[in-house]
Structures are given as C-alpha cells and as structure tokens.
Amino acid sequence: MSELTKRFEKHIHVACAIIEKDSFVLAVKRSPNMSMPLKWEFPGGKIDQNESPAECVQRELIEELGLRIRVNKHMPPATHNYSEFAVTLYPFVCSIEAGEMVLNEHSEAVWLPADELLILDWADADVQVINDYISGLKRRGM
C-alpha cells in the first residue's frame, strides 16, 4: 500500500468549540497520555454515528470540561492530513451557558485574546481553524 493510500485509510470527524468569554477564547492542552501529547487544541471530540456535529460538541464539552455550551455560530469544516490519518474539524463558536470548568481529560486550560492564540503549540489541525476564526473577526471589524 502506498503512503498516499495509507494516509487516507483512517479519516476522523471531530466537532470542536471555540468558546468566547469577555473577548477571550478558551484553549486546552492535551494531557501527556493523549495522542499528540501536550499540544493545544479547541475542546471537542469525535462525532458519533447518528449524531450531528452540534450535538457532538455539546456532549463533548460536558464530558471533557463539565460545561454546558450554547452554539452561536458554525464555521466551515477544516481537513488536515497527518501522516497516519486525516481529520476534519467542524468548529463552532460557542459561549458557556452553565457549569464550572473541570479538566477531565486535558492538563491545562487558558483564556487568550484571539490575536494571541497562535503563540501556543497547537495541534496542526486546529491551526487552520484559528486562522479562519481570526479572519472572520477581522472581516467583522473586531
């Protein structure tokens, strides 16, 4: 099997939340025992069969962070090809409705202004989402 064929053998679909609060955005750091350890990402997870991306992101945020979120806007999906698999992220701009944040899976969380997000060492798939998000803010004059 060629490397190109192998690359696309596994394709993961993930919903993620860009959580805004008081002009800041939440980033979470993957724990040392997760794949892509210690990389920063937007919280979320794999979309289950018969689950919409919006349903998934709401479920995952309760599981991962103990937060109930409101989906305010969906953004275009972004696909990234890693060496072993491809991932398509379905990002949603969200706000917190209820809950106190608890890190059930991640090692760290930080709130940053949007223009400082890229100072972190992000999982490669999230970088396109950040760029799309920041471009959207600039188009709206924010």
Side-chain angles (χ1 to χ4, degrees):
M1 183 179 300
S2 75
E3 182 62 32
L4 186 60
T5 305
K6 188 183 278 186
R7 174 177 291 171
F8 298 102
E9 198 172 274
K10 184 176 181 184
H11 192 133
I12 302 167
H13 295 269
V14 173
C16 64
I18 301 169
I19 301 175
E20 298 176 324
K21 182 179 174 185
D22 301 325
S23 301
F24 290 89
V25 176
L26 179 67
V28 291
K29 191 176 195 180
R30 297 176 69 82
S31 70
N33 58 345
M34 295 170 84
S35 63
M36 292 180 275
L38 306 178
K39 292 284 189 177
W40 290 88
E41 66 180 0
F42 292 117
K46 294 177 188 169
I47 302 170
D48 289 341
Q49 190 173 359
N50 301 320
E51 181 178 53
S52 73
E55 291 167 336
C56 172
V57 76
Q58 291 172 321
R59 175 184 54 78
E60 286 284 348
L61 270 286
I62 291 169
E63 292 173 8
E64 289 184 4
L65 300 175
L67 297 174
R68 288 196 46 221
I69 58 166
R70 176 184 309 121
V71 172
N72 298 321
K73 179 185 173 197
H74 70 277
M75 292 180 43
T79 299
H80 182 79
N81 297 316
Y82 289 98
S83 60
E84 298 295 318
F85 63 95
V87 63
T88 297
L89 294 179
Y90 298 83
F92 295 90
V93 178
C94 304
S95 55
I96 297 172
E97 281 190 329
E100 291 294 320
M101 186 166 32
V102 177
L103 298 177
N104 293 318
E105 295 183 17
H106 295 87
S107 64
E108 197 174 333
V110 65
W111 292 93
L112 289 173
D115 62 355
E116 292 182 22
L117 288 170
L118 289 172
I119 66 172
L120 301 175
D121 183 19
W122 288 85
D124 291 341
D126 288 81
V127 173
Q128 181 61 50
V129 172
I130 295 167
N131 289 330
D132 290 347
Y133 174 68
I134 290 171
S135 293
L137 292 177
K138 288 179 181 173
R139 280 193 302 276
R140 293 191 309 269
M142 300 174 113

